Amino acid sequence: MNANAFFNIEQFIGEAITGRKKSLLANDLSAFHDAVDKEINGKSVLVIGGAGTIGSSFIRALLHYHPAKLVVADINENGLTELVRDCRSRSEIMLPKDFKSYPVNFGDAVFSKIFKQEAPFDIVANFAAHKHVRSEKDAFSIEAMIENNVLKAKKLLDLLLEHPPKHFFCVSTDKAANPVNIMGASKKLMEEVILAYSNDLKITTARFANVAFSNGSLLAGFIERVMKQQPLSCPSDVKRFFVSPQESGEICLLACVLGTSGEIFFPKLHAENDMVNFADIAKLFIKQLGLEPDICVSETEARDKAVNPVAGKYPVYFFQSETSGEKLYEEFYTDNEELALNKFEALGIIQNAPRRKKEDLNKIISEVETMFTTDVNKEDIVNLLNKLLPDFKHIETGISLDQKM
């Protein structure tokens, strides 16, 4: 049975996870409404990775300001279909007459043809990324992640130089601050790539928290498990910052059109009040279904009880985190980054981040590409990332998330 039949997901996020009745960005959007409208109304926009949770939320936020043209590219054809259906089914927003969606990879030759045909764009926003820590299981998965998050990002920047947009935004992650996993390291390297171009293009990015119930996330998996009458499972010792899907799009929108080139945005969230334990969310989720958590001591017990459930209860297995690259806390910035905290009520800005010269960046990219032409293992890649990113402190346990229920 679909969990949505029992409760409203957006309402559950506000009440049980973020504790916010209105968007974190509501006051900033109101205060800067005219400035945002000036940059979007009647303008031409390209969104890459627009079918994902953050990309589609960015599009819904964007449409409130009436762009004249919108082109969306994403390799997820089904996701693009749902994006269009969702936007056309809402009363508060409307897709522009000049709207096109393309199920293509932004690193492919056909994307370059589309870009050159549809350019110039006032705004280009890139949300295409490998976002899961589980994507570092071996050398092959890591190569695919770095190819997507770093090498294709550089290729996109070179393409944009042919028809520079007024605003370019590329999404990052909180895991880029003092990274302990390869996904975070790849995003930190992506930040360095775009910063190297920040004198040629107006570029901004944003690090932010987990997006509650985003596609492929642990919380979205709760819904899938209930639909399939399977047990829930999550770590008992991991806390995370959360924003709603709506807030994720609004953060990116403000960073995109109001930021200064080279700035990295982040939400002003506080560890004492805003971090939430996954296990607490799981318990509240089950109670929202009108059931009580049936806490199991193993995956096997949880699976068995899903087949023969105890009346009025739902099986859930909590475990201690032990997978590679798992950080038990989150941070949006490091001690040596310069912060601006007064421009926005809900957003902070990292300013004057160190920028590599393009020549140095090209050497780094060449070194990464050369490495992938040889037979390398995960340790080889970690060693190279340690060399390129001094703050990278990889946590290796030998256990992947793919080994968990």
Side-chain angles (χ1 to χ4, degrees), residues 286-330:
I286 292 170
K287 290 182 177 181
Q288 200 71 37
L289 303 179
L291 303 170
E292 289 296 321
D294 187 357
I295 299 175
C296 304
V297 298
S298 69
E299 291 186 356
T300 299
E301 181 188 0
R303 285 192 291 264
D304 290 343
K305 284 191 171 180
V307 176
N308 298 294
V310 177
K313 292 190 174 184
Y314 202 93
V316 57
Y317 170 59
F318 297 130
F319 57 87
Q320 291 284 311
S321 178
E322 57 180 354
T323 52
S324 295
E326 195 64 68
K327 199 173 187 178
L328 295 183
Y329 61 95
E330 289 184 304

Short mmCIF file of all heavy atoms in Angstrom, two decimals, residues 286-330:
data_model
loop_
_atom_site.label_atom_id
_atom_site.label_comp_id
_atom_site.label_asym_id
_atom_site.label_seq_id
_atom_site.Cartn_x
_atom_site.Cartn_y
_atom_site.Cartn_z
N ILE A 286 6.63 5.28 11.01
CA ILE A 286 5.79 4.11 11.30
C ILE A 286 4.54 4.51 12.09
O ILE A 286 3.42 4.06 11.81
CB ILE A 286 6.61 3.04 12.05
CG1 ILE A 286 7.68 2.46 11.12
CG2 ILE A 286 5.70 1.93 12.58
CD1 ILE A 286 8.70 1.57 11.82
N LYS A 287 4.74 5.39 13.07
CA LYS A 287 3.58 5.84 13.86
C LYS A 287 2.59 6.62 13.01
O LYS A 287 1.38 6.58 13.25
CB LYS A 287 4.06 6.67 15.05
CG LYS A 287 4.77 5.85 16.11
CD LYS A 287 5.19 6.69 17.31
CE LYS A 287 5.84 5.80 18.38
NZ LYS A 287 6.25 6.57 19.57
N GLN A 288 3.08 7.32 12.00
CA GLN A 288 2.21 8.06 11.10
C GLN A 288 1.32 7.10 10.30
O GLN A 288 0.26 7.48 9.83
CB GLN A 288 3.05 8.93 10.15
CG GLN A 288 2.30 10.07 9.51
CD GLN A 288 1.97 11.18 10.49
OE1 GLN A 288 2.77 11.48 11.39
NE2 GLN A 288 0.81 11.79 10.35
N LEU A 289 1.77 5.87 10.16
CA LEU A 289 0.97 4.85 9.47
C LEU A 289 -0.07 4.23 10.39
O LEU A 289 -0.83 3.36 9.97
CB LEU A 289 1.88 3.74 8.94
CG LEU A 289 3.02 4.14 7.99
CD1 LEU A 289 3.82 2.92 7.58
CD2 LEU A 289 2.48 4.85 6.77
N GLY A 290 -0.08 4.68 11.64
CA GLY A 290 -1.03 4.12 12.60
C GLY A 290 -0.52 2.85 13.25
O GLY A 290 -1.31 2.08 13.82
N LEU A 291 0.79 2.61 13.19
CA LEU A 291 1.40 1.40 13.72
C LEU A 291 2.49 1.76 14.74
O LEU A 291 2.87 2.92 14.87
CB LEU A 291 2.00 0.56 12.59
CG LEU A 291 1.04 0.14 11.47
CD1 LEU A 291 1.82 -0.45 10.30
CD2 LEU A 291 0.01 -0.84 11.99
N GLU A 292 2.99 0.75 15.42
CA GLU A 292 4.09 0.93 16.36
C GLU A 292 5.34 0.25 15.80
O GLU A 292 5.25 -0.80 15.15
CB GLU A 292 3.75 0.32 17.72
CG GLU A 292 2.70 1.09 18.50
CD GLU A 292 3.18 2.49 18.90
OE1 GLU A 292 4.36 2.63 19.26
OE2 GLU A 292 2.37 3.43 18.82
N PRO A 293 6.52 0.79 16.04
CA PRO A 293 7.74 0.15 15.57
C PRO A 293 7.96 -1.20 16.27
O PRO A 293 7.83 -1.29 17.49
CB PRO A 293 8.85 1.14 15.96
CG PRO A 293 8.15 2.44 16.20
CD PRO A 293 6.79 2.09 16.71
N ASP A 294 8.28 -2.22 15.51
CA ASP A 294 8.66 -3.52 16.04
C ASP A 294 10.16 -3.65 15.81
O ASP A 294 10.62 -4.03 14.73
CB ASP A 294 7.90 -4.63 15.31
CG ASP A 294 8.13 -6.01 15.94
OD1 ASP A 294 8.93 -6.08 16.90
OD2 ASP A 294 7.53 -6.99 15.46
N ILE A 295 10.95 -3.25 16.80
CA ILE A 295 12.39 -3.17 16.65
C ILE A 295 13.02 -4.56 16.66
O ILE A 295 12.85 -5.32 17.62
CB ILE A 295 12.99 -2.27 17.74
CG1 ILE A 295 12.40 -0.86 17.63
CG2 ILE A 295 14.52 -2.22 17.63
CD1 ILE A 295 12.82 0.09 18.72
N CYS A 296 13.75 -4.86 15.60
CA CYS A 296 14.34 -6.19 15.40
C CYS A 296 15.85 -6.14 15.65
O CYS A 296 16.48 -5.08 15.54
CB CYS A 296 14.06 -6.68 13.98
SG CYS A 296 12.28 -6.73 13.57
N VAL A 297 16.42 -7.30 15.97
CA VAL A 297 17.85 -7.35 16.31
C VAL A 297 18.71 -7.74 15.12
O VAL A 297 19.94 -7.73 15.22
CB VAL A 297 18.10 -8.33 17.48
CG1 VAL A 297 17.37 -7.86 18.72
CG2 VAL A 297 17.70 -9.75 17.10
N SER A 298 18.09 -8.08 13.99
CA SER A 298 18.86 -8.47 12.81
C SER A 298 18.03 -8.24 11.55
O SER A 298 16.80 -8.11 11.62
CB SER A 298 19.26 -9.95 12.89
OG SER A 298 18.11 -10.78 12.76
N GLU A 299 18.72 -8.20 10.41
CA GLU A 299 18.02 -8.11 9.14
C GLU A 299 17.12 -9.32 8.92
O GLU A 299 16.00 -9.20 8.41
CB GLU A 299 19.03 -7.99 7.99
CG GLU A 299 19.78 -6.67 7.95
CD GLU A 299 20.65 -6.53 6.71
OE1 GLU A 299 20.71 -7.51 5.91
OE2 GLU A 299 21.25 -5.46 6.51
N THR A 300 17.60 -10.49 9.32
CA THR A 300 16.82 -11.72 9.13
C THR A 300 15.50 -11.66 9.90
O THR A 300 14.43 -11.98 9.37
CB THR A 300 17.63 -12.94 9.59
OG1 THR A 300 18.82 -13.03 8.81
CG2 THR A 300 16.82 -14.22 9.42
N GLU A 301 15.57 -11.24 11.16
CA GLU A 301 14.35 -11.13 11.96
C GLU A 301 13.38 -10.12 11.34
O GLU A 301 12.17 -10.36 11.28
CB GLU A 301 14.67 -10.70 13.40
CG GLU A 301 13.42 -10.60 14.28
CD GLU A 301 13.70 -10.00 15.65
OE1 GLU A 301 14.86 -9.66 15.93
OE2 GLU A 301 12.73 -9.87 16.43
N ALA A 302 13.93 -9.00 10.86
CA ALA A 302 13.08 -7.98 10.25
C ALA A 302 12.38 -8.51 9.00
O ALA A 302 11.19 -8.26 8.79
CB ALA A 302 13.91 -6.74 9.91
N ARG A 303 13.12 -9.22 8.16
CA ARG A 303 12.51 -9.79 6.95
C ARG A 303 11.43 -10.82 7.30
O ARG A 303 10.37 -10.86 6.68
CB ARG A 303 13.59 -10.41 6.06
CG ARG A 303 14.45 -9.39 5.32
CD ARG A 303 15.31 -10.05 4.25
NE ARG A 303 16.35 -10.89 4.85
CZ ARG A 303 17.60 -10.50 5.06
NH1 ARG A 303 17.96 -9.26 4.74
NH2 ARG A 303 18.48 -11.33 5.59
N ASP A 304 11.72 -11.65 8.29
CA ASP A 304 10.74 -12.67 8.70
C ASP A 304 9.46 -12.03 9.24
O ASP A 304 8.35 -12.49 8.95
CB ASP A 304 11.35 -13.59 9.76
CG ASP A 304 12.42 -14.51 9.21
OD1 ASP A 304 12.48 -14.66 7.96
OD2 ASP A 304 13.22 -15.05 10.01
N LYS A 305 9.62 -10.97 10.03
CA LYS A 305 8.44 -10.32 10.61
C LYS A 305 7.65 -9.53 9.57
O LYS A 305 6.46 -9.26 9.76
CB LYS A 305 8.86 -9.41 11.76
CG LYS A 305 9.21 -10.19 13.02
CD LYS A 305 9.37 -9.29 14.22
CE LYS A 305 9.51 -10.13 15.50
NZ LYS A 305 9.66 -9.27 16.71
N ALA A 306 8.30 -9.15 8.47
CA ALA A 306 7.56 -8.50 7.38
C ALA A 306 6.63 -9.49 6.71
O ALA A 306 5.55 -9.13 6.23
CB ALA A 306 8.53 -7.90 6.36
N VAL A 307 7.03 -10.76 6.69
CA VAL A 307 6.19 -11.82 6.11
C VAL A 307 5.07 -12.20 7.08
O VAL A 307 3.93 -12.42 6.67
CB VAL A 307 7.05 -13.07 5.78
CG1 VAL A 307 6.17 -14.21 5.27
CG2 VAL A 307 8.11 -12.72 4.75
N ASN A 308 5.40 -12.25 8.36
CA ASN A 308 4.42 -12.59 9.39
C ASN A 308 4.42 -11.50 10.46
O ASN A 308 4.97 -11.67 11.57
CB ASN A 308 4.76 -13.95 10.03
CG ASN A 308 4.73 -15.08 9.02
OD1 ASN A 308 3.67 -15.40 8.49
ND2 ASN A 308 5.90 -15.67 8.75
N PRO A 309 3.84 -10.32 10.14
CA PRO A 309 3.93 -9.18 11.05
C PRO A 309 3.11 -9.38 12.33
O PRO A 309 2.10 -10.08 12.34
CB PRO A 309 3.36 -8.03 10.21
CG PRO A 309 2.46 -8.69 9.22
CD PRO A 309 3.09 -10.01 8.91
N VAL A 310 3.60 -8.76 13.39
CA VAL A 310 2.86 -8.71 14.65
C VAL A 310 1.74 -7.68 14.48
O VAL A 310 1.96 -6.60 13.94
CB VAL A 310 3.78 -8.32 15.81
CG1 VAL A 310 3.00 -8.19 17.11
CG2 VAL A 310 4.92 -9.32 15.96
N ALA A 311 0.56 -8.00 14.91
CA ALA A 311 -0.59 -7.11 14.74
C ALA A 311 -0.31 -5.73 15.33
O ALA A 311 0.16 -5.61 16.46
CB ALA A 311 -1.83 -7.72 15.41
N GLY A 312 -0.57 -4.69 14.53
CA GLY A 312 -0.40 -3.32 14.98
C GLY A 312 1.02 -2.82 15.00
O GLY A 312 1.28 -1.72 15.48
N LYS A 313 1.96 -3.64 14.48
CA LYS A 313 3.37 -3.24 14.50
C LYS A 313 3.98 -3.35 13.11
O LYS A 313 3.48 -4.06 12.24
CB LYS A 313 4.16 -4.11 15.48
CG LYS A 313 3.79 -3.88 16.94
CD LYS A 313 4.76 -4.58 17.86
CE LYS A 313 4.50 -4.24 19.32
NZ LYS A 313 5.50 -4.86 20.21
N TYR A 314 5.11 -2.61 12.92
CA TYR A 314 5.84 -2.68 11.64
C TYR A 314 7.31 -2.93 11.95
O TYR A 314 7.92 -2.21 12.75
CB TYR A 314 5.68 -1.37 10.85
CG TYR A 314 5.94 -1.57 9.37
CD1 TYR A 314 4.90 -1.84 8.49
CD2 TYR A 314 7.24 -1.54 8.86
CE1 TYR A 314 5.12 -2.05 7.13
CE2 TYR A 314 7.48 -1.76 7.51
CZ TYR A 314 6.42 -2.02 6.66
OH TYR A 314 6.65 -2.25 5.32
N PRO A 315 7.92 -3.93 11.30
CA PRO A 315 9.31 -4.29 11.63
C PRO A 315 10.31 -3.25 11.16
O PRO A 315 10.24 -2.75 10.03
CB PRO A 315 9.51 -5.63 10.91
CG PRO A 315 8.54 -5.60 9.78
CD PRO A 315 7.35 -4.84 10.29
N VAL A 316 11.29 -2.96 12.01
CA VAL A 316 12.37 -2.03 11.66
C VAL A 316 13.65 -2.52 12.31
O VAL A 316 13.65 -2.98 13.46
CB VAL A 316 12.03 -0.59 12.10
CG1 VAL A 316 11.75 -0.49 13.59
CG2 VAL A 316 13.15 0.37 11.70
N TYR A 317 14.75 -2.43 11.55
CA TYR A 317 16.05 -2.87 12.06
C TYR A 317 16.97 -1.67 12.12
O TYR A 317 17.21 -0.99 11.12
CB TYR A 317 16.64 -3.95 11.14
CG TYR A 317 18.07 -4.29 11.44
CD1 TYR A 317 18.45 -4.76 12.70
CD2 TYR A 317 19.07 -4.14 10.46
CE1 TYR A 317 19.78 -5.08 12.98
CE2 TYR A 317 20.39 -4.46 10.74
CZ TYR A 317 20.74 -4.92 12.00
OH TYR A 317 22.05 -5.23 12.28
N PHE A 318 17.50 -1.38 13.31
CA PHE A 318 18.46 -0.31 13.51
C PHE A 318 19.85 -0.92 13.68
O PHE A 318 20.02 -1.92 14.37
CB PHE A 318 18.12 0.52 14.74
CG PHE A 318 16.80 1.24 14.65
CD1 PHE A 318 15.86 1.14 15.68
CD2 PHE A 318 16.49 2.00 13.54
CE1 PHE A 318 14.66 1.81 15.60
CE2 PHE A 318 15.28 2.67 13.45
CZ PHE A 318 14.36 2.57 14.48
N PHE A 319 20.87 -0.28 13.07
CA PHE A 319 22.22 -0.81 13.15
C PHE A 319 23.21 0.33 13.36
O PHE A 319 22.94 1.49 13.04
CB PHE A 319 22.57 -1.58 11.87
CG PHE A 319 22.44 -0.76 10.60
CD1 PHE A 319 23.48 0.02 10.14
CD2 PHE A 319 21.24 -0.77 9.89
CE1 PHE A 319 23.35 0.78 8.99
CE2 PHE A 319 21.10 -0.01 8.73
CZ PHE A 319 22.16 0.76 8.28
N GLN A 320 24.37 -0.01 13.89
CA GLN A 320 25.46 0.95 14.05
C GLN A 320 26.12 1.16 12.69
O GLN A 320 26.39 0.22 11.96
CB GLN A 320 26.49 0.42 15.04
CG GLN A 320 26.01 0.37 16.47
CD GLN A 320 25.96 1.75 17.12
OE1 GLN A 320 26.91 2.51 17.05
NE2 GLN A 320 24.84 2.07 17.74
N SER A 321 26.39 2.42 12.34
CA SER A 321 27.00 2.72 11.05
C SER A 321 28.41 2.16 10.99
O SER A 321 29.20 2.34 11.92
CB SER A 321 27.03 4.23 10.83
OG SER A 321 27.67 4.53 9.61
N GLU A 322 28.72 1.46 9.88
CA GLU A 322 30.05 0.86 9.75
C GLU A 322 30.51 0.83 8.30
O GLU A 322 31.46 0.13 7.95
CB GLU A 322 30.02 -0.58 10.29
CG GLU A 322 28.97 -1.46 9.61
CD GLU A 322 28.95 -2.88 10.14
OE1 GLU A 322 29.83 -3.22 10.97
OE2 GLU A 322 28.06 -3.64 9.74
N THR A 323 29.88 1.61 7.42
CA THR A 323 30.23 1.58 6.01
C THR A 323 31.28 2.63 5.67
O THR A 323 31.42 3.64 6.35
CB THR A 323 28.98 1.81 5.13
OG1 THR A 323 28.31 2.99 5.58
CG2 THR A 323 28.03 0.63 5.24
N SER A 324 32.01 2.38 4.60
CA SER A 324 33.07 3.29 4.17
C SER A 324 32.51 4.67 3.85
O SER A 324 31.44 4.80 3.26
CB SER A 324 33.77 2.73 2.93
OG SER A 324 34.44 1.54 3.24
N GLY A 325 33.26 5.70 4.25
CA GLY A 325 32.91 7.07 3.89
C GLY A 325 31.77 7.66 4.66
O GLY A 325 31.27 8.73 4.31
N GLU A 326 31.34 7.01 5.74
CA GLU A 326 30.20 7.52 6.50
C GLU A 326 30.67 8.49 7.56
O GLU A 326 31.49 8.17 8.42
CB GLU A 326 29.44 6.37 7.16
CG GLU A 326 28.06 6.77 7.66
CD GLU A 326 27.13 7.17 6.54
OE1 GLU A 326 26.74 6.31 5.75
OE2 GLU A 326 26.80 8.38 6.47
N LYS A 327 30.15 9.71 7.50
CA LYS A 327 30.50 10.76 8.45
C LYS A 327 29.36 10.89 9.46
O LYS A 327 28.21 11.08 9.05
CB LYS A 327 30.72 12.08 7.69
CG LYS A 327 31.50 13.14 8.43
CD LYS A 327 31.76 14.31 7.48
CE LYS A 327 32.69 15.35 8.09
NZ LYS A 327 32.98 16.44 7.14
N LEU A 328 29.66 10.80 10.74
CA LEU A 328 28.60 10.80 11.74
C LEU A 328 28.07 12.20 12.03
O LEU A 328 27.08 12.35 12.74
CB LEU A 328 29.11 10.16 13.04
CG LEU A 328 29.46 8.67 12.92
CD1 LEU A 328 29.88 8.13 14.28
CD2 LEU A 328 28.30 7.87 12.36
N TYR A 329 28.71 13.23 11.47
CA TYR A 329 28.22 14.60 11.65
C TYR A 329 28.36 15.33 10.32
O TYR A 329 29.03 14.86 9.40
CB TYR A 329 29.02 15.34 12.73
CG TYR A 329 30.49 15.47 12.41
CD1 TYR A 329 30.98 16.62 11.79
CD2 TYR A 329 31.38 14.45 12.70
CE1 TYR A 329 32.32 16.74 11.46
CE2 TYR A 329 32.73 14.56 12.38
CZ TYR A 329 33.19 15.70 11.78
OH TYR A 329 34.51 15.82 11.46
N GLU A 330 27.71 16.47 10.22
CA GLU A 330 27.76 17.24 8.98
C GLU A 330 28.26 18.65 9.25
O GLU A 330 28.05 19.20 10.33
CB GLU A 330 26.37 17.30 8.33
CG GLU A 330 25.92 15.97 7.75
CD GLU A 330 24.59 16.10 7.03
OE1 GLU A 330 23.62 16.56 7.65
OE2 GLU A 330 24.53 15.73 5.85
#
